[in-house]
Amino acid sequence: MKAKLVEKKRKSRDLESDSESDDELGNGLFDGVLSASEDEEDYIPSDQIEEDESESEGSEGSDDEADGDDDDILSDDIPSDIDGETDMDKLRRDAEELEITEPFVDPKPKDEDTEGRNYRIEKDANGGERYVYEEIDPVYDSDDSDAQGPANTIGDIPLTFYDSYPHIGYDINGKKIMRPASGDALQSLLDSIEVPKGWTGLTDINTGNPLNLTDEELELVRRVQMGLVPDGLHDPHPDTVEWFTSKQETMPLSAAPEPKRRFLPSKNEAKQVMKLVRAIREGRILPYKPPEERQREEEEKEEVHFDLWQDEEPSAPNPMHIPAPKLPPPGYEMSYNPPEEYLPSKEEREQWEKTDPEEREKDFLPQKFNSLRKVPAWGTLVKERFERCMDLYLAPRVRKNRLNIDPNSLLPKLPSPAELKPFPTVVQTIFRGHEGTVRSVAIDPTGVALATGGSDGTVRVWELLTGRQVWSVKLSSEDPVYTVRWRPTKDAFILAASAGEDIFLMVPTHSSVTPTLEKASREVLAAGFGYAANGNTPAVAPGKEPAGKWSRPGTRLEDEGVLVKITVRSTVKVINWHRKGDHLATTSPEGQRSSVAIHTLSKHLTQIPFRKLHGIAQTAAFHPSKPIFFVATMRTIRCYDLQKLELVKVVQPGAKWISSIDIHPGGDNLIVGSYDRRLLWHDLDLSNRPYKTMRFHPKAIRAVRFHRGGFPLFADASDDGSLQIFHGKVPNDQLENPTIVPVKQLKGHKVVNQVGVVDIDWHPREPWLVSAGADGTARLWM
Amino acid sequence: MAKIKRKGQTGQAKNYMTRTQAVKKLQISLPDFRKLCIWKGIYPREPRNKKKVSKSASASTTFYYTKDIQYLQHEPLLQKFRDQKVLEKKISRALGRGDVGDAARLERNAARPDQTGKPRYTLNHVIRERYPTFIDAIRDLDDCLSMLFLFANLPSTTAVPAKMIARCERLCLEFQHYLITSHSLRKSFLSIKGIYYQANIQGEDVLWLVPYKFNQRVVGDIDFRIMGTFVEFYMTLLSFVNYRLYTTIGLKYPPKFDEAKDNQSAELAALTLEGAGLTTTAEEPKATIANGEEHGPDPKVQAEVNKLVKKLRFEDDAEKPDAEMAEGGDDGEEKPTDGIDKFEPAAPGGDVLPQPTYSGNDPSKLFSNCVFYLSRETPRQSLEFILRAFGCKRIGWDSVLGEGAFTTDESDPSITHQIVDRPIIQAATAEEGDGEDNQTARKLGPNQRYPGRIYVQPQWVWDSINNEELQAPDLYAPGAELPPHFSPFVKATQGQYDPTIPLEEQQTEGEALDAELADAQDEAESGEESEVENDMDVASDNDEEDGDEEEGEDEEEEEEEDEEDEEEEAALQRQRELEAELEGKAVKNKKVDPKVKAKLDKKKALERQKKEEAEALERAKGMLSKKKRVRYEQMEYSNNKKSGEAEKLRAKRRKLEKEKKSKA
């Protein structure tokens, strides 16, 4: 069926083409039109065309040609076809249609124009008419269906550029495309009056023809301009469809009964309400008031007064609380009109101005105004108050006990020295003769002679009261005589002196020594030799050096009266006799184990009582009445019982370096002098620690000594060149403490090489004192 | 194993806390902590050993007791501070959001005492805690009053709001009114810093300083926030104290405040005192007397009233203001608080005890018979206060000095005393010769005087109250050179210089001798040319009077020298005598003025004694333990310093007196 339809069409077309060719043979203008009209059918698939061809064999030849054309057209792109379809073509087509209709109306004239035709009519094999066309020369610009009419090639430029020309551009072949005939004035007028449908007043850029748009197109443009959806059918606001409620559900979702709480008042709400109620009751929520009124009310509220201390009850103040100290009241100098003596002098003013404000004792200078009206405001009053405020809250408060007492009340009540007389006060005699330091002094038991030993190695004996030298001997040329001590009994007149490692025992002969006494003395010294000769000497281990070697010092010294020499192992610095005069203890600090030795005169025997000593021995002494032996090392004093041979007591004076000790004739008290400037009084019954510590000397104390003749006196000698006399009374009652009163400071010795007074000794009966100084003198004070 | 001890966990370290730790513990800002410390009276402590106490390596400076900080932890104010902080945060957040309305609403709730002068909190409980009894509060009133009086005189600035100043002023006036009515002001002193007042309130002496009425200069870096915190506390304190004081003397508190009068600077007169039950104005009696109607109450009526009052008193022994107070007249003496009870023996035979009096004179009567007029150059506030407090009922002043005067008319005939502080005009004195004479000065225009009244300078008032009697007015006449104004607060101590007594009574023996010697020397010098050598050096010593200090130091040396001199002199003398004897001539003694010689001897004796004393002192000092000796030396040092100052003042005075004498 289909094929038949095509055939029919074909036939009719054939007819058309016939008429065409009849009509306008030489009119090349319509070529395109033809092809265009053919085009519409050219979309028929080729096989169908072939079918057609096979069916319509008669027109095969021309068909072939046409086929070739058709193929071209098919190969050609469709857009070009559409582009090329200009207004002109349309117009032409319209005109053609009109013409096409003509042959149907009047086919005759066709026949008449056979001579002008470009074909010839021949007879085919069937005897039918056959139109034979002339062969077309397909030159470049021949009419081909491809060329879509005169396409303007001027490109993308406005047509107005060609306004002044007759053409409007160029076609593909470079030929001018002439301006299409525009209607004459009347026509244009008519056009203007009768706006054609779809008229836009615009001109097509490509063709220069007026651009008309269809209604649909115009509508589309309008919608785009309005910002609407271009599709006119789209409804932007459709009616809502209630999804759930639009339909009435007939069955309930749950069959549970309504809970009770839905019928009870809410507890939470009640709580909230109560909260508000409470706030209102308590006055936290107040009804609104205008601000002015509120402010006024507040001011009134401030004026609430009541007695804060209505039910006051005094409570004990916190012991840790320290009330702020009050500012001191103003004194006379702060007056606006002070007495004139308070006004600062020029120097005081300068001084005040010079000192730093923080270091000033007073923050103001007294000023005088002769009238009250002249007193200005105090410049720093605000600042002072501010500083007070700062002090109140920022200053740490410390309670300081200020002793507001007379300082003299601190001083002990000492009896006046006048009541404690007698004691030595002035120099009576000065003993000059020694070269260099006088190392030691001693007054003999009778109180007549004074023995001194000096650095020059001599021992001298003087008449005490006159100061006349009566006897002298040089014991050593190198070693100084460190110490001289008289034998403490009156039956003999024996002096012990040490020089270097030797201890000499001598009988200084002078006028006051009676021959009997001298003889007795010599006998005492000589007795030992006999003892030694008797062979009673204890056996000394062979190879071991004896502690002391007793010998005669040689004829020179023996002629002078020096009768015995004891040689020990190291330099002897201190000699102390036993009260009975048979023993003497020597101390040589460098001697280490053998630093303390006890010599027995009657047996010419030397013993070393200690195998080992705690520290360096400084001095050793016998107890005045008991068989007790004291050994002072640098720090401690040890008391040994000589009968039981045991340690009785260790006294600790607390001094760093003991220089000398002396035992009170009563035996219960002890004084200690130390190189660290202290004089210590020990009560041996009371404690190991000192009973009193006295610091009167700025320099070391060298010697201390009790008076042994009944006066409650003791003295010390110091390197500052002074002596101090103390009244030290030991009561008979054991319970009472001894009274110690300094009574006198004796100055006179000169300090040589930082050594002042070296040794002292009391007169055995009188309150007289002898001192030995580094200045080469010995002095008698009375 | 024993428990390991960590540092800062036991012992002293536990008792102390640094400020930073305290602030952290309380979780408040440092300014808030400061406020809290000021109000609660918490102050730093000084530990015995800082090193043991500090828990950190670096040295901390401020330590507080841990217990103190614990005590602060329970402070209700702390919560207020925190609330305030929260509020501030809310405001700042609202402002940050741009929510101005919300911020304004919150701002209205905020307490801004620095702007409004009143906080949202009260310090009542703090005051009660710090001062458990009223007398404790009175004891601590010195700083409070000084501070409030200062603030009452400050100009208002951003740091010191005007409201605060006004409140300070009012509280001060109220307090002054109490002092006036109770006559408890005792002393006052014009110093260069301001006017000191001392009052005796319930047996406690309170001393405070009021600046002169000038604009106070604010110099240096002064943190008014700190001052403001103190003032806040003090204002609360004084208002409670005032209440208590007013109620104890039967007055209503607060007194009526007349703003109109205050604006005209009436000061004291702006407040009207009222009795607790009945209303009476303090000014009323004054006003009636001012009108000259010195009407005593009708004797019959008075008797009736007295009876009634007695009855009332028996029934109710609460102190009630007397009925006659309303009538005016002689109310001052009859106040139950003022009068001193007289203890008279009811039955014969008992011992007579001294009557209770606080002073020889009743302070309420000192000026009671006087009518004062203040010239316009005098300090009206202080004078009015003092005069009133000492019994003066009628004070008039120039109208420029403000409202509230009894009269502003200078010519009022009732005026007995006029206080002036202006110089005598030269022309007048030249003509008159003596400006002190009232009678003659009166005739002149510029120095016009009204007859029959006493003209005095303001210092007269102060000296009168301090000496408890009216001073001789001629010493204080206008233009006269005023006698020195002495501080009434200085208590004379032994050895200190006292300017109120003559020099002879207080100088030491040595000084007196020196002075006499110097005098004698001067005389001798003026008379004779020849001088004994020995005297010469003594004289030169005396010339150095001003440099007394040095003398003290090398005293010992000099003494020694003196002694040696003495010995030498004696030896020389003996030598001379011997020589004379040999030659058979009379002894040639050098010419020495016997008086001078006697004095010299005396001096020498004094020096010898001094030396002996020094020796004894040295001996005694040696017997002291080290601790005691150090203490003794410290005391000696301070005493020497004090006596040195006194000596200097005495020397100055001696010099001045001498100059005066030589002039005269």
Side-chain angles (χ1 to χ4, degrees):
Chain A
M1 267 182 68
K2 211 177 182 179
K4 272 188 183 172
L5 265 173
V6 173
E7 204 177 357
K8 245 188 184 171
K9 263 190 181 172
R10 177 91 185 185
K11 273 184 182 168
S12 67
R13 215 219 352 225
D14 281 351
L15 282 174
E16 278 172 47
S17 65
D18 281 352
S19 64
E20 263 178 45
S21 55
D22 284 350
D23 239 10
E24 306 150 66
L25 270 174
N27 191 358
L29 269 175
F30 294 106
D31 286 352
V33 175
L34 237 180
S35 62
S37 60
E38 273 171 1
D39 280 349
E40 288 169 4
E41 284 101 339
D42 275 331
Y43 294 105
I44 299 158
S46 57
D47 56 339
Q48 222 163 341
I49 291 168
E50 275 165 26
E51 236 177 89
D52 286 336
E53 276 171 3
S54 58
E55 280 175 32
S56 58
E57 285 158 277
S59 59
E60 211 172 24
S62 65
D63 272 353
D64 284 344
E65 284 171 16
D67 273 352
D69 281 356
D70 286 349
D71 287 345
D72 280 346
I73 290 161
L74 277 172
S75 66
D76 202 2
D77 49 346
I78 294 157
S80 70
D81 191 15
I82 293 162
D83 290 338
E85 201 174 40
T86 59
D87 291 10
M88 265 199 291
D89 289 2
K90 272 185 184 169
L91 283 172
R92 237 175 269 146
R93 210 182 292 158
D94 291 349
E96 206 180 351
E97 275 171 8
L98 286 173
E99 277 174 351
I100 288 166
T101 51
E102 268 178 57
F104 292 96
V105 180
D106 190 15
K108 268 195 175 171
K110 256 183 196 175
D111 294 328
E112 289 169 6
D113 296 348
T114 32
E115 284 166 349
R117 293 171 194 162
N118 56 352
Y119 59 90
R120 341 171 229 122
I121 301 167
E122 285 177 9
K123 284 243 176 147
D124 61 353
N126 297 329
E129 266 182 356
R130 184 185 171 200
Y131 299 93
V132 179
Y133 289 86
E134 275 174 42
E135 192 120 351
I136 294 166
D137 179 23
V139 291
Y140 182 74
D141 60 344
S142 70
D143 289 339
D144 64 330
S145 56
D146 243 355
Q148 296 281 319
N152 201 346
T153 60
I154 54 169
D156 192 17
I157 55 162
L159 264 181
T160 49
F161 284 15
Y162 291 91
D163 279 352
S164 55
Y165 299 102
H167 58 282
I168 55 159
Y170 303 92
D171 63 7
I172 194 97
N173 296 320
K175 286 185 178 162
K176 285 176 180 170
I177 299 170
M178 299 311 291
R179 190 179 298 278
S182 55
D184 53 11
L186 183 64
Q187 187 62 42
S188 65
L189 179 68
L190 285 172
D191 282 349
S192 68
I193 291 164
E194 195 180 354
V195 177
K197 207 169 185 197
W199 182 84
T200 58
L202 298 169
T203 314
D204 192 328
I205 290 172
N206 291 324
T207 59
N209 294 330
L211 178 66
N212 288 343
L213 294 175
T214 61
D215 282 350
E216 282 161 12
E217 282 167 337
L218 280 171
E219 177 63 14
L220 190 82
V221 168
R222 189 187 66 80
R223 290 187 74 87
V224 169
Q225 276 181 333
M226 294 293 285
L228 300 170
V229 180
D231 184 6
L233 294 174
H234 176 70
D235 184 3
H237 304 295
D239 289 335
T240 43
V241 180
E242 294 294 331
W243 187 259
F244 293 106
T245 55
S246 55
K247 268 186 279 176
Q248 178 88 41
E249 299 286 347
T250 48
M251 293 298 286
L253 289 170
S254 161
E258 284 282 281
K260 190 183 174 185
R261 64 173 178 275
R262 301 220 177 126
F263 304 100
L264 289 177
S266 161
K267 273 186 183 168
N268 186 45
E269 272 173 16
K271 221 175 175 180
Q272 298 291 331
V273 170
M274 272 319 291
K275 208 171 164 187
L276 292 174
V277 168
R278 224 175 289 127
I280 292 168
R281 273 186 199 149
E282 284 173 12
R284 276 184 280 125
I285 296 178
L286 294 171
Y288 172 78
K289 270 175 202 157
E292 307 87 54
E293 200 179 322
R294 212 171 73 167
Q295 200 176 343
R296 203 175 338 113
E297 263 179 25
E298 266 169 23
E299 265 168 32
E300 278 165 19
K301 204 164 66 185
E302 206 185 345
E303 300 291 313
V304 169
H305 300 284
F306 60 94
D307 191 354
L308 193 66
W309 293 279
Q310 203 153 32
D311 49 347
E312 65 180 8
E313 41 187 66
S315 58
N318 185 354
M320 300 308 271
H321 179 71
I322 305 168
K326 292 189 172 189
L327 285 175
Y332 296 117
E333 68 275 16
M334 243 167 59
S335 169
Y336 88 103
N337 180 16
E340 245 165 277
E341 53 266 30
Y342 282 101
L343 297 178
S345 63
K346 207 175 169 189
E347 300 88 53
E348 280 168 333
R349 181 180 295 277
E350 274 168 13
Q351 178 69 24
W352 188 85
E353 276 160 3
K354 240 190 274 168
T355 45
D356 193 65
E358 297 200 344
E359 284 167 12
R360 287 172 187 164
E361 269 182 36
K362 282 176 191 160
D363 56 351
F364 64 94
L365 273 180
Q367 283 169 284
K368 192 177 176 84
F369 301 94
N370 56 14
S371 170
L372 183 61
R373 70 171 188 281
K374 290 180 182 165
V375 185
W378 186 246
T380 56
L381 189 64
V382 182
K383 184 147 180 63
E384 278 167 23
R385 197 90 311 264
F386 174 67
E387 269 156 17
R388 169 72 175 167
C389 284
M390 295 296 282
D391 280 351
L392 282 178
Y393 104 92
L394 214 53
R397 298 180 197 163
V398 180
R399 202 173 258 131
K400 276 204 173 141
N401 290 330
R402 197 174 291 279
L403 273 179
N404 197 10
I405 52 166
D406 181 16
N408 290 333
S409 65
L410 282 177
L411 297 174
K413 282 279 162 285
L414 296 178
S416 129
E419 297 167 15
L420 303 174
K421 274 179 179 173
F423 52 82
T425 50
V426 290
V427 175
Q428 170 63 28
T429 319
I430 300 177
F431 306 91
R432 297 178 208 267
H434 277 288
E435 287 163 23
T437 312
V438 182
R439 290 272 177 177
S440 181
V441 287
I443 300 175
D444 79 325
T446 55
V448 177
L450 168 76
T452 59
S455 292
D456 53 358
T458 58
V459 174
R460 292 163 201 246
V461 177
W462 319 71
E463 247 181 38
L464 185 65
L465 288 173
T466 57
R468 188 168 63 86
Q469 185 181 323
V470 291
W471 185 83
S472 114
V473 65
K474 190 167 181 77
L475 291 178
S476 161
S477 49
E478 310 94 60
D479 295 317
V481 175
Y482 273 113
T483 171
V484 290
R485 285 289 176 268
W486 291 99
R487 185 164 176 267
T489 53
K490 287 177 187 169
D491 59 333
F493 191 69
I494 295 170
L495 178 68
S498 75
E501 286 148 15
D502 302 326
I503 302 153
F504 298 93
L505 299 172
M506 57 200 85
V507 182
T509 46
H510 61 98
S511 56
S512 71
V513 181
T514 55
T516 48
L517 185 62
E518 193 184 338
K519 200 183 161 206
S521 306
R522 280 175 182 271
E523 272 170 12
V524 167
L525 286 178
F529 287 111
Y531 189 80
N534 288 344
N536 287 348
T537 324
V540 176
K544 204 174 178 189
E545 200 189 337
K549 214 165 75 190
W550 293 69
S551 61
R552 292 183 195 280
T555 47
R556 183 184 69 85
L557 287 173
E558 275 176 64
D559 289 348
E560 297 275 2
V562 182
L563 298 173
V564 177
K565 180 171 110 175
I566 312 164
T567 308
V568 292
R569 291 174 192 163
S570 51
T571 313
V572 174
K573 294 251 171 105
V574 182
I575 297 174
N576 272 314
W577 283 91
H578 186 255
R579 68 178 186 284
K580 283 178 182 161
D582 196 23
H583 302 279
L584 74 158
T586 59
T587 314
S588 38
E590 292 106 55
Q592 301 199 1
R593 195 180 76 82
S594 60
S595 54
V596 180
I598 297 176
H599 310 272
T600 315
L601 202 56
S602 55
K603 295 178 184 170
H604 279 200
L605 178 66
T606 299
Q607 287 164 296
I608 293 171
F610 306 107
R611 287 218 185 83
K612 199 184 151 202
L613 269 169
H614 301 271
I616 301 164
Q618 294 295 318
T619 174
F622 291 99
H623 190 277
S625 53
K626 289 179 201 160
I628 290 175
F629 188 56
F630 296 86
V631 177
T633 56
M634 272 170 76
R635 300 273 181 112
T636 58
I637 300 162
R638 288 161 180 270
C639 317
Y640 296 91
D641 192 323
L642 289 174
Q643 279 177 339
K644 292 179 189 163
L645 294 176
E646 62 178 17
L647 179 68
V648 178
K649 183 175 262 185
V650 180
V651 179
Q652 285 172 323
K656 298 264 160 49
W657 192 350
I658 294 168
S659 62
S660 66
I661 61 169
D662 197 24
I663 297 127
H664 190 266
D668 284 337
N669 294 282
L670 179 74
I671 49 171
V672 180
S674 77
Y675 287 114
D676 48 344
R677 299 172 295 184
R678 274 186 273 182
L679 175 65
L680 307 135
W681 178 290
H682 275 273
D683 193 327
L684 292 174
D685 295 337
L686 205 68
S687 159
N688 291 338
R689 313 293 302 175
Y691 161 67
K692 273 267 189 289
T693 305
M694 290 151 276
R695 297 157 166 270
F696 284 99
H697 291 290
K699 292 276 177 63
I701 292 174
R702 290 243 170 203
V704 290
R705 193 56 71 100
F706 274 114
H707 192 275
R708 290 176 197 282
F711 289 105
L713 291 173
F714 66 96
D716 65 357
S718 164
D719 269 348
D720 62 357
S722 71
L723 304 157
Q724 289 247 323
I725 317 293
F726 294 84
H727 172 90
K729 191 170 183 99
V730 178
N732 295 327
D733 187 0
Q734 286 284 324
L735 295 172
E736 261 181 78
N737 285 326
T739 48
I740 302 164
V741 182
V743 287
K744 186 71 189 168
Q745 193 163 32
L746 301 175
K747 286 176 186 165
H749 282 287
K750 293 205 164 57
V751 180
V752 176
N753 290 333
Q754 296 189 327
V755 182
V757 188
V758 182
D759 196 13
I760 48 172
D761 197 15
W762 286 97
H763 191 275
R765 291 183 312 276
E766 305 294 333
W768 299 344
L769 186 70
V770 187
S771 61
D775 54 352
T777 62
R779 287 171 194 238
L780 171 66
W781 307 82
M782 56 201 302
Chain B
M1 198 182 111
K3 207 177 169 191
I4 294 171
K5 274 189 182 176
R6 281 220 217 106
K7 200 193 169 200
Q9 307 257 328
T10 49
Q12 271 193 313
K14 243 178 129 185
N15 294 338
Y16 291 96
M17 224 182 213
T18 62
R19 192 171 64 172
T20 323
Q21 284 167 336
V23 166
K24 267 188 192 161
K25 181 156 194 181
L26 296 175
Q27 299 181 357
I28 48 173
S29 63
L30 194 58
D32 280 349
F33 177 71
R34 189 173 60 202
K35 267 189 186 177
L36 210 56
C37 282
I38 289 170
W39 289 337
K40 300 284 284 181
I42 306 290
Y43 49 88
R45 309 285 178 145
E46 190 86 345
R48 283 245 175 91
N49 189 342
K50 273 198 178 179
K51 217 174 172 191
K52 273 186 191 165
V53 161
S54 89
K55 285 155 203 160
S56 63
S58 59
S60 308
T61 47
T62 323
F63 291 98
Y64 289 89
Y65 271 151
T66 310
K67 291 265 175 180
D68 279 351
I69 303 302
Q70 277 171 354
Y71 166 64
L72 284 185
Q73 272 188 303
H74 307 292
E75 178 55 45
L77 281 171
L78 213 55
Q79 193 52 46
K80 295 267 187 262
F81 285 149
R82 289 187 187 132
D83 289 347
Q84 180 73 10
K85 196 175 146 193
V86 168
L87 194 65
E88 300 285 346
K89 248 186 198 170
K90 278 182 185 165
I91 291 170
S92 69
R93 192 184 297 142
L95 282 174
R97 266 201 233 111
D99 201 346
V100 179
D102 204 24
R105 182 180 61 78
L106 289 165
E107 169 84 15
R108 244 179 287 126
N109 289 339
R112 298 218 183 283
D114 50 334
Q115 284 171 14
T116 57
K118 60 183 163 51
R120 277 288 148 85
Y121 42 79
T122 55
L123 298 174
N124 306 354
H125 67 284
V126 178
I127 287 170
R128 184 65 208 268
E129 260 171 28
R130 274 183 73 172
Y131 309 111
T133 59
F134 180 60
I135 213 77
D136 291 334
I138 297 288
R139 242 172 245 150
D140 214 13
L141 217 53
D142 286 23
D143 282 314
C144 168
L145 287 173
S146 295
M147 192 78 174
L148 294 185
F149 271 100
L150 173 67
F151 263 67
N153 285 315
L154 277 187
S156 83
T157 55
T158 48
V160 189
K163 273 191 179 170
M164 190 188 259
I165 291 169
R167 197 160 140 70
C168 285
E169 207 172 351
R170 208 173 140 184
L171 285 169
C172 290
L173 288 177
E174 284 166 5
F175 184 70
Q176 284 183 338
H177 263 299
Y178 165 76
L179 295 178
I180 290 168
T181 33
S182 66
H183 298 294
S184 38
L185 190 68
R186 289 286 169 275
K187 308 261 187 240
S188 183
F189 174 53
L190 293 164
S191 83
I192 45 177
K193 292 190 179 180
I195 305 172
Y196 282 90
Y197 296 97
Q198 191 185 41
N200 189 297
I201 302 170
Q202 306 198 349
E204 288 291 329
D205 277 335
V206 182
L207 176 73
W208 72 98
L209 172 66
V210 179
Y212 289 114
K213 276 269 174 193
F214 290 108
N215 209 352
Q216 291 299 322
R217 262 202 308 158
V218 178
V219 284
D221 47 342
I222 291 166
D223 191 349
F224 271 101
R225 285 175 305 169
I226 294 174
M227 301 266 272
T229 312
F230 272 100
V231 167
E232 224 174 281
F233 178 76
Y234 286 149
M235 283 195 303
T236 320
L237 173 64
L238 190 59
S239 74
F240 281 114
V241 167
N242 278 350
Y243 181 89
R244 172 85 176 208
L245 291 174
Y246 271 61
T247 43
T248 46
I249 57 168
L251 290 175
K252 192 182 157 198
Y253 185 84
K256 225 182 232 166
F257 183 66
D258 190 343
E259 211 152 312
K261 271 188 172 175
D262 187 52
N263 288 340
Q264 288 167 318
S265 74
E267 308 259 324
L268 281 172
L271 291 170
T272 315
L273 301 187
E274 296 164 355
L278 302 154
T279 309
T280 168
T281 57
E283 270 66 51
E284 212 173 44
K286 187 190 76 187
T288 49
I289 295 163
N291 296 339
E293 329 159 7
E294 280 199 65
H295 68 288
D298 189 277
K300 272 185 193 169
V301 176
Q302 183 66 43
E304 286 273 328
V305 168
N306 285 351
K307 236 190 229 170
L308 220 132
V309 167
K310 255 185 197 169
K311 219 177 178 182
L312 273 170
R313 257 190 219 160
F314 274 119
E315 282 165 7
D316 181 11
D317 46 3
E319 289 174 351
K320 275 197 174 179
D322 298 348
E324 65 261 40
M325 269 175 74
E327 309 260 346
D330 49 353
D331 56 337
E333 287 79 18
E334 295 201 14
K335 267 183 199 170
T337 45
D338 274 356
I340 296 166
D341 293 337
K342 246 192 166 175
F343 291 87
E344 282 170 14
D351 286 332
V352 180
L353 296 172
Q355 294 292 324
T357 50
Y358 44 71
S359 76
N361 292 339
D362 187 354
S364 64
K365 281 180 186 156
L366 188 62
F367 296 129
S368 57
N369 295 326
C370 310
V371 180
F372 281 90
Y373 185 84
L374 314 180
S375 295
R376 64 173 188 276
E377 70 278 0
T378 53
R380 191 263 285 184
Q381 287 83 5
S382 46
L383 278 172
E384 187 193 359
F385 170 50
I386 289 176
L387 292 175
R388 287 253 162 88
F390 282 87
C392 182
K393 293 276 185 292
R394 293 178 289 173
I395 308 165
W397 54 75
D398 199 290
S399 53
V400 297
L401 289 177
E403 185 79 343
F406 142 72
T407 175
T408 53
D409 179 18
E410 196 181 343
S411 61
D412 196 301
S414 61
I415 295 166
T416 60
H417 291 74
Q418 182 158 355
I419 298 173
V420 286
D421 193 7
R422 57 183 88 163
I424 301 276
I425 287 172
Q426 274 310 307
T429 47
E431 203 175 313
E432 294 297 320
D434 185 14
E436 289 173 30
D437 195 343
N438 298 342
Q439 293 299 315
T440 45
R442 162 174 62 97
K443 291 167 192 164
L444 277 148
N447 292 334
Q448 193 185 14
R449 302 268 167 92
Y450 290 97
R453 64 172 81 157
I454 299 165
Y455 284 80
V456 282
Q457 293 200 36
Q459 194 190 321
W460 177 80
V461 175
W462 270 272
D463 283 354
S464 294
I465 63 161
N466 289 341
N467 295 328
E468 292 173 357
E469 60 179 1
L470 298 184
Q471 300 292 296
D474 53 335
L475 288 174
Y476 300 88
E481 192 171 323
L482 290 167
H485 181 55
F486 294 120
S487 165
F489 309 116
V490 181
K491 286 187 185 77
T493 44
Q494 187 63 35
Q496 286 306 298
Y497 173 64
D498 187 355
T500 53
I501 54 174
L503 198 58
E504 287 72 37
E505 287 173 29
Q506 47 182 329
Q507 62 192 359
T508 58
E509 211 176 329
E511 277 179 353
L513 262 176
D514 278 349
E516 279 169 23
L517 259 178
D519 283 351
Q521 221 77 72
D522 286 350
E523 278 170 31
E525 262 172 37
S526 58
E528 286 176 49
E529 286 297 317
S530 65
E531 268 296 324
V532 189
E533 285 164 47
N534 202 11
D535 288 351
M536 276 300 277
D537 65 29
V538 174
S540 66
D541 271 359
N542 290 335
D543 286 348
E544 300 171 359
E545 251 180 353
D546 291 351
D548 272 302
E549 287 167 74
E550 292 165 33
E551 212 173 306
E553 280 170 28
D554 43 36
E555 212 165 18
E556 268 183 44
E557 256 176 60
E558 269 177 36
E559 276 167 20
E560 267 173 39
E561 280 170 23
D562 280 353
E563 202 169 68
E564 278 170 31
D565 283 353
E566 210 174 316
E567 282 168 16
E568 275 175 36
E569 202 187 2
L572 268 175
Q573 184 72 18
R574 209 180 305 140
Q575 184 69 24
R576 250 180 263 137
E577 278 173 5
L578 283 172
E579 279 171 17
E581 218 172 55
L582 274 175
E583 290 172 21
K585 285 177 192 170
V587 183
K588 254 203 287 176
N589 210 346
K590 282 200 175 178
K591 268 193 279 173
V592 179
D593 186 10
K595 266 188 197 169
V596 175
K597 171 114 176 125
K599 269 166 196 167
L600 271 176
D601 289 348
K602 219 173 173 187
K603 195 185 173 189
K604 265 175 198 163
L606 202 73
E607 270 165 11
R608 206 174 301 126
Q609 193 192 333
K610 249 188 194 171
K611 193 186 158 192
E612 272 166 23
E613 272 168 18
E615 217 167 79
L617 190 77
E618 201 58 36
R619 283 190 301 117
K621 255 164 84 176
M623 296 305 289
L624 288 175
S625 66
K626 192 176 177 187
K627 192 177 157 193
K628 271 191 176 172
R629 190 167 55 229
V630 167
R631 186 176 290 166
Y632 177 84
E633 270 159 11
Q634 280 172 347
M635 277 197 233
E636 216 178 21
Y637 171 78
S638 59
N639 282 5
N640 283 347
K641 203 173 156 192
K642 270 182 208 159
S643 61
E645 269 167 22
E647 210 175 303
K648 215 178 190 176
L649 285 170
R650 280 196 291 266
K652 261 188 187 175
R653 179 159 168 190
R654 199 173 295 123
K655 208 171 158 191
L656 285 168
E657 276 177 3
K658 215 171 173 184
E659 271 171 22
K660 222 177 255 175
K661 219 187 267 170
S662 66
K663 255 186 213 172

